[in-house]
Amino acid sequence: MHDRPNEFLVRTAPFADQDKQAVYRAIHTRRDVRDQFLSDPLPDDLVRRLLEAAHAAPSVGFMQPWSFLLIRSARKREAIWQAFLRANEEAEAMFPVEQRDAYRSLKLEGIRKAPLNICVTCDPDRAGPVVLGRTHDPRMDAFSTVCAIQNLWLTARAEGVGLGWVSIFHEAEVKAILGIPERVQIIGYLCLGFVEELYATPELEVKGWRKRLPLDDLIYEESWGQVGEGPITLATAEDLTLPGS
């Protein structure tokens, strides 16, 4: 521990209005991209910026459990795609018959179409066996890694890069393809590439799969299920004056 930690404190203040609006714009217009990727490769300096943003994420106990495995080769991406196809057939069979046509209509082409795939992993041993803040909830390393993915996702949106999160695969199969140690957990398999178009609202909502839940139904006061006297008024994406709008 540093003897004089206060010397590292710096003054802070709210962002300027335009900067705040840019943050909200990234949050409200971020999308899970499945099929709109362009084939153009991502420049190395751009990829580095995205990874630096991910690495700046908060982590419990400052454990920084994440690693980023970059996959560009067509051969590796094809092997991952085949693993996805096998799992996707299993997933389709889990849904009621009346939903299966809708499920099949959701194109998931990012693994082969996006020029860059990133497998984001979590090493539970990186900070040692006892980690500050993880002592009573062993999931905190995985939660921290998800924060890194969110940082990457929002930065990608700001850079004009689409990102899709693939979760339909057997972890052991993907680990074998990528040589990932058994103790290391795969948190997210991401597909990244430039995009010219994004859905105005989430694709699953556009295609009738699910609707966004009303926020007021999800806010309780003081105890579970206890609703406050009145709704909390929050700005929506439509209320914001966004840069360039």
Side-chain angles (χ1 to χ4, degrees):
M1 295 289 183
H2 201 278
D3 291 336
R4 300 173 59 193
N6 286 349
E7 70 181 83
F8 293 96
L9 294 174
V10 296
R11 290 191 176 277
T12 188
F15 288 2
D17 285 347
Q18 186 173 5
D19 295 336
K20 285 190 289 187
Q21 290 161 7
V23 172
Y24 284 114
R25 181 181 182 187
I27 291 170
H28 286 288
T29 64
R30 176 214 55 81
R31 295 290 175 262
D32 190 6
V33 179
R34 292 169 168 79
D35 189 47
Q36 290 79 43
F37 295 105
L38 304 177
S39 60
D40 313 57
L42 299 178
D44 289 343
D45 60 335
L46 171 55
V47 174
R48 181 72 184 191
R49 290 197 300 274
L50 298 178
L51 296 177
E52 286 176 347
H55 187 47
S59 62
V60 172
F62 203 38
M63 67 179 83
Q64 306 161 76
W66 45 70
S67 292
F68 309 96
L69 176 52
L70 310 186
I71 304 117
R72 295 186 176 92
S73 79
R75 180 180 63 83
K76 281 282 179 71
R77 287 186 288 129
E78 180 63 27
I80 298 292
W81 169 255
Q82 293 299 327
F84 159 77
L85 280 185
R86 289 187 286 273
N88 198 46
E89 290 177 358
E90 297 170 358
E92 180 185 325
M94 296 177 189
F95 289 96
V97 173
E98 60 270 17
Q99 282 189 293
R100 292 178 189 174
D101 286 344
Y103 184 87
R104 283 191 295 269
S105 72
L106 300 173
K107 293 185 178 181
L108 297 166
E109 299 292 337
I111 296 171
R112 295 190 299 181
K113 197 169 183 180
L116 174 65
N117 292 187
I118 302 179
C119 186
V120 183
T121 63
C122 171
D123 185 347
D125 299 333
R126 179 157 297 162
V130 181
V131 178
L132 188 156
R134 195 182 64 178
T135 53
H136 290 71
D137 190 342
R139 302 172 298 172
M140 298 311 297
D141 47 18
F143 294 165
S144 298
T145 305
V146 172
C147 289
I149 293 175
Q150 180 76 337
N151 271 19
L152 196 158
W153 211 335
L154 295 176
T155 309
R157 175 65 190 93
E159 294 277 7
V161 174
L163 186 153
W165 187 329
V166 178
S167 58
I168 303 170
F169 54 78
H170 292 290
E171 185 177 33
E173 192 170 359
V174 173
K175 281 184 176 181
I177 295 169
L178 300 178
I180 297 172
E182 183 177 352
R183 76 172 193 284
V184 174
Q185 182 183 2
I186 296 175
I187 300 297
Y189 190 93
L190 312 178
C191 307
L192 292 91
F194 287 121
V195 290
E196 290 182 341
E197 296 179 322
L198 290 172
Y199 281 95
T201 58
E203 181 179 356
L204 294 183
E205 186 171 27
V206 169
K207 295 185 176 178
W209 191 265
R210 292 271 295 174
K211 292 183 178 180
R212 189 178 297 280
L213 300 174
L215 177 59
D216 288 334
D217 293 349
L218 309 175
I219 300 173
Y220 303 139
E221 295 278 357
E222 306 298 343
S223 62
W224 181 265
Q226 181 66 43
V227 179
E229 294 182 0
I232 298 174
T233 302
L234 299 175
T236 66
E238 291 76 16
D239 296 327
L240 299 170
T241 303
L242 301 176
S245 62

